[in-house]
Amino acid sequence: MSESTLEALGGGAARPAEFGHDALVVCDSLVRIFQSGSVEVQALQGLDLMVDDGEMIAVVGASGSGKSTLLGVLSGMDAPTAGRVRVGRWDLMAVGTRERVAYRREMVGFVWQQTSRNLLPYLSARQNVRVPMTAGARRARAARADELLDLVGVGHVADRRPQEMSGGEQQRVAIATALANEPQLLLADEPTGELDTATAQDVFDALRTANLEAGTTVVVVTHDPAVSAQVERTVAIRDGRTSSEVLRRDADGDVTHEEYAVMDRAGRVQVPREYREALELTRRVRLALEGDHVSVRPDGGARSGSRREVVR
Ligand code: ADP
Ligand code: MG
């Protein structure tokens, strides 16, 4: 429908709703360029992502594809080079230093892969969870710290220091610490990367509990296919862009996985390498609207008999 048609229908005065206006997280053509010496690295190359309030998603992708860069931007610790990124009421392209600090304190919690990076070594689990807390009287904070440790299943380590806990326990205490100020968004960058499978499952369960019981929106970067198989949506990043999404649907108890390509606002879609190679799709392809779908054919119409006759 053309713009003039929209106007004729009375839509002229009303602006279209802002892209992703009802999502909690919106990344729109996000670009992050790192400059190291004379070398420029484009870590994010126009990444689009939307996450709804209350969702739990996994982000997967090869090493160097931009996953940590994305989480750095969403955490407010890093600023993007171009594009748009909004989390809740915070426009992270526009916020100043002071607002950025407030954003990090009020809106997000963060869990790193390295267990040692998440907790202060000389404090007990309970004390670690209380460190970031800003609200409430002393006693209320202590009670709340214990509640959070119980929530993620590590109430028994409340008085222990990190070195007296297993790796999985440390990561769960880290999750409790990240939840200390009731953030709306919890970010975890390969939180199970240093753990064995059974322990990783405990940590994943703790993230899931934060999502289901505390209602926290969770974005977890992972290499672990077992983790991405347990969330409703997995977003794959390739070369600094979101390339595909897998949705897991439970219909009558059946778990199904459906893979979707991601289309950006300009209508661009990445065709998987194996499809491109199978049909030798290169620089130019032929698109056609076929009733209920769109076909993509190699240039030259090799698959269209009548066209080939005309060419010869
Ligand atoms: P991932 O987490 O998916 O492995 P990263 O987001 O860490 O990927 O990195 C994406 C790309 O950006 C890589 O090529 C990486 O070398 C580069 N990069 C990340 N951080 C920096 C930085 N601070 N300075 C320069 N290059 C960086
Ligand atoms: Mg990383």
Tab-separated table of all heavy atoms in Angstrom, residues 68 110-118 167 171 188-195 223:
chain	number	residue	atom	x	y	z
A	68	SER	N	29.126	-10.377	23.070
A	68	SER	CA	29.514	-9.624	24.277
A	68	SER	C	29.391	-8.126	24.045
A	68	SER	O	29.043	-7.379	24.967
A	68	SER	CB	30.949	-9.969	24.685
A	68	SER	OG	31.020	-11.318	25.071
A	110	PHE	N	23.802	-7.950	35.824
A	110	PHE	CA	24.738	-8.553	34.881
A	110	PHE	C	25.485	-9.717	35.525
A	110	PHE	O	25.940	-9.611	36.662
A	110	PHE	CB	25.748	-7.495	34.417
A	110	PHE	CG	26.378	-7.818	33.101
A	110	PHE	CD1	25.843	-7.314	31.924
A	110	PHE	CD2	27.488	-8.643	33.034
A	110	PHE	CE1	26.407	-7.628	30.697
A	110	PHE	CE2	28.061	-8.966	31.808
A	110	PHE	CZ	27.516	-8.448	30.630
A	111	VAL	N	25.615	-10.817	34.782
A	111	VAL	CA	26.404	-11.961	35.238
A	111	VAL	C	27.443	-12.280	34.161
A	111	VAL	O	27.091	-12.463	32.990
A	111	VAL	CB	25.514	-13.207	35.480
A	111	VAL	CG1	26.364	-14.393	35.930
A	111	VAL	CG2	24.437	-12.904	36.516
A	112	TRP	N	28.713	-12.311	34.568
A	112	TRP	CA	29.797	-12.623	33.633
A	112	TRP	C	30.083	-14.110	33.613
A	112	TRP	O	29.719	-14.839	34.528
A	112	TRP	CB	31.093	-11.922	34.067
A	112	TRP	CG	31.011	-10.455	34.199
A	112	TRP	CD1	30.703	-9.753	35.324
A	112	TRP	CD2	31.260	-9.485	33.184
A	112	TRP	NE1	30.753	-8.404	35.060
A	112	TRP	CE2	31.089	-8.220	33.761
A	112	TRP	CE3	31.625	-9.580	31.837
A	112	TRP	CZ2	31.261	-7.043	33.032
A	112	TRP	CZ3	31.797	-8.416	31.120
A	112	TRP	CH2	31.611	-7.162	31.713
A	113	GLN	N	30.831	-14.519	32.570
A	113	GLN	CA	31.246	-15.923	32.468
A	113	GLN	C	32.227	-16.298	33.576
A	113	GLN	O	32.098	-17.337	34.218
A	113	GLN	CB	31.902	-16.169	31.104
A	113	GLN	CG	32.510	-17.569	30.990
A	113	GLN	CD	33.113	-17.835	29.618
A	113	GLN	OE1	33.030	-17.017	28.720
A	113	GLN	NE2	33.719	-18.988	29.470
A	114	GLN	N	33.220	-15.415	33.803
A	114	GLN	CA	34.251	-15.728	34.784
A	114	GLN	C	33.658	-15.610	36.179
A	114	GLN	O	33.282	-14.522	36.596
A	114	GLN	CB	35.453	-14.776	34.666
A	114	GLN	CG	36.173	-14.835	33.340
A	114	GLN	CD	35.572	-13.899	32.308
A	114	GLN	OE1	34.524	-13.315	32.547
A	114	GLN	NE2	36.218	-13.781	31.172
A	115	THR	N	33.589	-16.745	36.883
A	115	THR	CA	32.982	-16.744	38.213
A	115	THR	C	33.673	-15.715	39.119
A	115	THR	O	33.023	-15.032	39.894
A	115	THR	CB	33.104	-18.145	38.856
A	115	THR	OG1	34.445	-18.591	38.696
A	115	THR	CG2	32.186	-19.140	38.186
A	116	SER	N	34.997	-15.572	38.963
A	116	SER	CA	35.754	-14.687	39.860
A	116	SER	C	35.417	-13.214	39.639
A	116	SER	O	35.677	-12.372	40.497
A	116	SER	CB	37.249	-14.896	39.629
A	116	SER	OG	37.556	-14.652	38.272
A	117	ARG	N	34.842	-12.894	38.475
A	117	ARG	CA	34.582	-11.501	38.149
A	117	ARG	C	33.259	-11.014	38.762
A	117	ARG	O	33.003	-9.815	38.822
A	117	ARG	CB	34.508	-11.396	36.618
A	117	ARG	CG	34.734	-10.018	36.104
A	117	ARG	CD	34.960	-10.083	34.611
A	117	ARG	NE	34.790	-8.757	34.027
A	117	ARG	CZ	34.823	-8.499	32.733
A	117	ARG	NH1	35.017	-9.493	31.876
A	117	ARG	NH2	34.654	-7.294	32.275
A	118	ASN	N	32.416	-11.937	39.196
A	118	ASN	CA	31.071	-11.570	39.638
A	118	ASN	C	30.969	-11.204	41.116
A	118	ASN	O	30.084	-10.464	41.512
A	118	ASN	CB	30.104	-12.717	39.354
A	118	ASN	CG	29.837	-12.875	37.872
A	118	ASN	OD1	29.550	-11.895	37.188
A	118	ASN	ND2	29.941	-14.095	37.369
A	167	GLY	N	31.830	-23.745	41.614
A	167	GLY	CA	31.644	-22.777	40.533
A	167	GLY	C	30.164	-22.482	40.284
A	167	GLY	O	29.763	-21.344	40.083
A	171	GLN	N	28.096	-18.930	40.667
A	171	GLN	CA	27.312	-18.290	39.608
A	171	GLN	C	25.882	-18.025	40.072
A	171	GLN	O	25.273	-17.027	39.688
A	171	GLN	CB	27.310	-19.135	38.326
A	171	GLN	CG	28.623	-19.132	37.562
A	171	GLN	CD	29.110	-17.745	37.156
A	171	GLN	OE1	29.487	-16.944	38.001
A	171	GLN	NE2	29.119	-17.467	35.861
A	188	ALA	N	23.222	-12.101	30.995
A	188	ALA	CA	24.221	-13.070	31.425
A	188	ALA	C	25.059	-13.464	30.213
A	188	ALA	O	24.523	-13.935	29.215
A	188	ALA	CB	23.541	-14.297	32.041
A	189	ASP	N	26.382	-13.230	30.307
A	189	ASP	CA	27.273	-13.520	29.184
A	189	ASP	C	27.987	-14.845	29.417
A	189	ASP	O	28.919	-14.918	30.209
A	189	ASP	CB	28.292	-12.377	29.021
A	189	ASP	CG	28.990	-12.421	27.664
A	189	ASP	OD1	28.796	-13.418	26.935
A	189	ASP	OD2	29.716	-11.470	27.347
A	190	GLU	N	27.524	-15.878	28.754
A	190	GLU	CA	28.060	-17.238	28.920
A	190	GLU	C	28.260	-17.601	30.389
A	190	GLU	O	29.357	-17.975	30.799
A	190	GLU	CB	29.365	-17.376	28.137
A	190	GLU	CG	29.171	-17.027	26.673
A	190	GLU	CD	30.293	-17.513	25.771
A	190	GLU	OE1	30.811	-18.601	26.046
A	190	GLU	OE2	30.628	-16.818	24.814
A	191	PRO	N	27.215	-17.537	31.176
A	191	PRO	CA	27.349	-17.755	32.624
A	191	PRO	C	27.695	-19.191	32.980
A	191	PRO	O	28.136	-19.454	34.090
A	191	PRO	CB	25.960	-17.393	33.165
A	191	PRO	CG	25.033	-17.684	32.035
A	191	PRO	CD	25.799	-17.324	30.788
A	192	THR	N	27.500	-20.117	32.025
A	192	THR	CA	27.785	-21.524	32.323
A	192	THR	C	29.028	-21.998	31.569
A	192	THR	O	29.338	-23.181	31.564
A	192	THR	CB	26.578	-22.421	31.941
A	192	THR	OG1	26.346	-22.299	30.531
A	192	THR	CG2	25.328	-21.998	32.677
A	193	GLY	N	29.749	-21.047	30.965
A	193	GLY	CA	30.884	-21.406	30.117
A	193	GLY	C	32.002	-22.139	30.832
A	193	GLY	O	32.721	-22.924	30.224
A	194	GLU	N	32.158	-21.895	32.136
A	194	GLU	CA	33.265	-22.534	32.866
A	194	GLU	C	32.795	-23.739	33.672
A	194	GLU	O	33.529	-24.244	34.510
A	194	GLU	CB	33.914	-21.501	33.818
A	194	GLU	CG	34.674	-20.413	33.093
A	194	GLU	CD	35.381	-19.446	34.043
A	194	GLU	OE1	35.153	-19.531	35.270
A	194	GLU	OE2	36.162	-18.623	33.546
A	195	LEU	N	31.556	-24.179	33.448
A	195	LEU	CA	30.978	-25.222	34.311
A	195	LEU	C	30.714	-26.512	33.555
A	195	LEU	O	30.532	-26.508	32.333
A	195	LEU	CB	29.657	-24.714	34.909
A	195	LEU	CG	29.704	-23.348	35.605
A	195	LEU	CD1	28.294	-22.930	35.998
A	195	LEU	CD2	30.612	-23.397	36.825
A	223	HIS	N	26.942	-20.828	24.540
A	223	HIS	CA	27.435	-21.734	23.511
A	223	HIS	C	26.728	-23.068	23.609
A	223	HIS	O	26.876	-23.929	22.765
A	223	HIS	CB	28.938	-21.987	23.726
A	223	HIS	CG	29.794	-21.074	22.941
A	223	HIS	ND1	30.611	-20.137	23.513
A	223	HIS	CD2	29.935	-20.921	21.611
A	223	HIS	CE1	31.231	-19.461	22.560
A	223	HIS	NE2	30.833	-19.907	21.408
